[in-house]
Amino acid sequence: MRKLQSLLLVCASVTTLAACGADSIASPGSGGNVTINNPPAPAPTPTPTPTSTLATPAAGCPTIADPQGLTDGGTISGPTGTYRVCRLPAVVRTSTTLPRVAGLLYEMNGRVNVGCDGGFTAPTAAAPLTTPLTVGCTGTQTADTNVTLTIAAGAVLYGATGQSWLAVNRGNRISAVGTATAPIVFTSRDNVLGLNDDTSQGQWGGVVLMGRAVTTDCAVGAVGVGAANTCERNTEGSADPARYGGNDDTYNAGTMRYVQIRYSGFVLGANSELQALTTESVGTGTTIEYIQSHNSSDDGAEMFGGGFNMRYYVATGADDDSLDVDTGARINLQYALLLPRPTRGDTLMEIDSNGQETDVRRTRLNLVNFTGVQQQTSADNEANGRAAVFLRGNSDNFLYNGVIVAPNNECIRLNASGTTPVTLTARSVVLQCSATKFIDGGGSNAAAQFGAGANNNSDSFVNTLTGTGLYLNGTNENAVVTIDPTALSSFFVAGPTPYRIGGAWAENSTWVEGWTCNSATANFGASSRPCTSLPVI
C-alpha cells in the first residue's frame, strides 16, 4: 500500500508533463522496483531561424555610356525582394557596361539591339551603308558601329514582354562574363514575380548573336565559294530585319561565359520561335562556354551557319530539341548535358541543313563527352523527330564518348537524301533504347552507320546514371573504353584524368555546379539555386 501511495504521489507531481500509464511504467523487475520514464525537460524557446535576405530597391539607375541611358521603371517585387527596374534602350548605340548593383534588375521591353547592323561586309567610306538595316538606326554608316554590350557578373536581365529579346547585330559584340558563383541570368518577368513552376516556358524571346560567317539556305543572295558567296538569312520570326551571313568564318560576336537563359522561346511569328541561345553565322573568334538553357519552349540552343568552339553546355527542360545545328554550321562542342523534361521535348539533338542539300557547305557537328536522357515515350514525338537523335540533310555527325538513354523511344534516326546523304561516325557511344533502336529514311542504314559492337559502341547498354536528371556517370558508364578526341580537332581534350565517356562523372562534375539552376528536371547540388527563384542581389 505504501508503494502504491508513493507511486500515486509521483504521478501527481508530473501530471503537467505526461500521463501516468502503460507507456510510462516499465514492467516490475525483481524486488518490485518501479521505473518511471519522465519526458525530457522542455527545450528552451529556439532562436528564430534567420530568413533569407530580401532584396531592397536600389536608389536609382546607374549612369551608363549610352547617351539614351537607362529608363527608371520604378520597382518590381517578388519572393526574393523588391528591385529597382532599369529599362534598356531599344538601341544600344555606344559601348556600354551594365554593372551589378544590389537591388537592381535590367529590363528588356521589346527587342533590344546591340549596335546597328553594318551589313554583309563592314561598310567603308568607299562603300557606305546608306539604308540602315536596324530599326531605330539612322544615317549613313561608313564603318561598323563596333558597340560592345558588357554585362557584369551576377547581373540579372529580364524580358518584360513575350516579344522581348536581345539582338547582337553584325559589327557589334556582347561581353557577358559571369563567374561560377555569380552567373549572369537572362529570364522572364514572371520569374521575377515568382509565378513560375517547373512547367513554365516561352515567356520572352532569348539571346541572338548575328555574325558574318558563311551560312546556307539563303533568304537573300546565293551560296557560292569565296567572293561569289552572297548568302544571307533572316532571324526566324523577327518582324523587323535581323539579318546574318557573310564571308568571315573568323567573325567575333563576343564572349558569353557562365550564363543562364531561362523560360525563353516566345513565338515571334507563325511557326517561328526563338530559343534560349541562337547563334547565326557566328565565327571562330567567338567564345561561348558554361551556358545553361532552361525551359525553352523551342530548342535549348540552335546554331545557324558559321562555326565555333563551345564547351560546357547544359540544356534542361527544352520543349523541342535540346541541341539543333543546321544551315552549314560547323560546331565543336565538348561536355554537354541534354536533359529535357519527362514527357516533353522532341529530340535530344536535330542536325540538318533545312533541306537545301545542293548548297556547297555541309553542316558538321563534332560532339564529344555528352549525356542525353530522354524519358518520354515514342508516342510523345511520333509526328516530329521521333527518335532521340535525328540526323538528316546535308550533315556530317561525329559523336564521341557519349551516353544516350531513351528507354521508351528509338535512339537514332537517319533520313538520307541528296547526292551525298547524311553521315554518322560514332566512337565510344552507348545507347539504351526501346526494342526499335533505329529508324531509317531515304535508304539510310542507321544501325550500320552506328556500328554496335565495334569502336566501343553498344546499342544494348544498361545505364547506371545517378543524380536528379540522371546526368552523372555510374559504374557502367565509367567502364566504357574512351577514344582520344583530339584527332577530331585540337580544341578537344582527353581529360580530366580519369577520362570517361559522358558529360559528367565523379572527377568531372564540379563544372556543372553553382552557376546552374536546379529544377525537378535536374538538380546540380546545393550550390545551385532553384530556377524558379532569382539570385538575391
Side-chain angles (χ1 to χ4, degrees):
M1 179 62 71
R2 283 195 299 271
K3 290 181 179 179
L4 179 58
Q5 288 174 338
S6 298
L7 176 59
L8 291 173
L9 287 172
V10 171
C11 285
S13 68
V14 296
T15 52
T16 59
L17 298 177
C20 191
D23 291 339
S24 304
I25 304 175
S27 300
S30 60
N33 295 327
V34 177
T35 302
I36 297 178
N37 296 321
N38 290 318
T45 303
T47 303
T49 301
T51 57
S52 298
T53 302
L54 296 180
T56 57
C61 297
T63 300
I64 60 174
D66 187 89
Q68 292 180 285
L70 298 167
T71 301
D72 191 330
T75 61
I76 186 170
S77 298
T80 55
T82 301
Y83 302 86
R84 175 70 53 194
V85 174
C86 296
R87 183 173 299 155
L88 294 172
V91 181
V92 180
R93 301 173 185 273
T94 303
S95 291
T96 296
T97 297
L98 302 180
R100 178 186 183 274
V101 178
L104 185 149
L105 304 177
Y106 296 101
E107 180 188 84
M108 295 172 284
N109 187 26
R111 173 177 168 178
V112 173
N113 291 285
V114 177
C116 300
D117 183 356
F120 187 86
T121 57
T124 63
L129 186 68
T130 57
T131 303
L133 298 176
T134 304
V135 172
C137 295
T138 59
T140 298
Q141 285 182 245
T142 57
D144 280 335
T145 52
N146 284 320
V147 168
T148 298
L149 177 63
T150 300
I151 304 172
V156 177
L157 296 81
Y158 74 90
T161 67
Q163 297 282 347
S164 301
W165 56 292
L166 185 68
V168 181
N169 293 304
R170 290 181 294 192
N172 306 278
R173 297 180 183 179
I174 189 172
S175 178
V177 180
T179 68
T181 56
I184 293 166
V185 177
F186 290 90
T187 190
S188 67
R189 183 174 183 271
D190 281 4
N191 195 192
V192 177
L193 295 173
L195 302 178
N196 284 354
D197 59 25
D198 282 317
T199 68
S200 301
Q201 62 178 23
Q203 296 174 340
W204 68 292
V207 178
V208 180
L209 309 182
M210 290 167 271
R212 292 195 178 110
V214 174
T215 189
T216 63
D217 297 58
C218 317
V220 176
V223 171
V225 177
N229 177 60
T230 57
C231 186
E232 296 178 90
R233 287 176 55 84
N234 296 314
T235 298
E236 289 184 349
S238 177
D240 299 317
R243 193 163 289 171
Y244 60 94
N247 276 318
D248 181 8
D249 280 341
T250 66
Y251 183 86
N252 183 358
T255 300
M256 294 185 70
R257 181 182 293 123
Y258 291 113
V259 173
Q260 298 175 22
I261 308 175
R262 308 178 181 178
Y263 308 111
S264 62
F266 189 82
V267 179
L268 295 182
N271 298 315
S272 296
E273 305 94 345
L274 289 178
Q275 32 279 317
L277 176 64
T278 306
T279 67
E280 301 175 333
S281 291
V282 166
T284 55
T286 306
T287 300
I288 301 176
E289 56 187 13
Y290 296 101
I291 304 294
Q292 181 183 14
S293 162
H294 178 67
N295 278 27
S296 168
S297 64
D298 196 48
D299 302 325
E302 185 162 12
M303 292 85 167
F304 294 94
F308 58 93
N309 299 322
M310 182 176 181
R311 194 172 274 132
Y312 305 123
Y313 169 61
V314 179
T316 50
D319 207 48
D320 192 7
D321 311 313
S322 295
L323 176 66
D324 195 335
V325 182
D326 49 28
T327 66
R330 298 176 176 179
I331 307 299
N332 292 327
L333 172 57
Q334 186 169 20
Y335 301 118
L337 301 176
L338 311 178
L339 307 171
R341 281 171 286 165
T343 76
R344 303 294 298 186
D346 185 10
T347 70
L348 296 175
M349 61 185 88
E350 180 180 350
I351 318 301
D352 60 25
S353 60
N354 280 18
Q356 300 296 327
E357 293 161 22
T358 59
D359 288 348
V360 294
R361 181 164 168 139
R362 293 174 66 85
T363 298
R364 177 176 174 128
L365 172 66
N366 295 334
L367 178 59
V368 173
N369 289 111
F370 62 94
T371 299
V373 180
Q374 186 186 64
Q375 301 183 50
Q376 67 177 18
T377 67
S378 59
D380 291 321
N381 72 340
E382 194 63 30
N384 298 298
R386 299 174 64 191
V389 174
F390 185 20
L391 311 175
R392 62 179 176 176
N394 208 23
S395 69
D396 301 310
N397 304 274
F398 296 81
L399 307 183
Y400 281 28
N401 299 327
V403 181
I404 296 171
V405 175
N408 304 313
N409 204 2
E410 305 90 357
C411 271
I412 296 177
R413 175 186 175 191
L414 295 188
N415 189 12
S417 57
T419 304
T420 306
V422 59
T423 66
L424 168 63
T425 302
R427 299 288 185 268
S428 297
V429 175
V430 295
L431 311 178
Q432 182 176 345
C433 318
S434 65
T436 304
K437 302 172 184 179
F438 303 97
I439 303 176
D440 294 311
S444 66
N445 191 329
Q449 290 208 43
F450 177 75
N455 301 307
N456 308 320
N457 296 333
S458 171
D459 63 1
S460 57
F461 189 73
V462 177
N463 89 86
T464 54
L465 296 169
T466 64
T468 302
L470 302 178
Y471 70 92
L472 193 63
N473 278 11
T475 303
N476 290 356
E477 289 76 25
N478 287 342
V480 177
V481 177
T482 59
I483 184 171
D484 186 339
T486 57
L488 276 179
S489 167
S490 60
F491 167 74
F492 296 116
V493 295
T497 303
Y499 182 50
R500 311 290 194 188
I501 70 166
W505 55 94
E507 297 83 4
N508 184 42
S509 62
T510 56
W511 73 263
V512 76
E513 299 169 2
W515 64 274
T516 50
C517 66
N518 292 331
S519 64
T521 301
N523 187 306
F524 301 114
S527 60
S528 294
R529 293 181 58 87
C531 297
T532 51
S533 175
L534 293 189
V536 177
I537 63 172

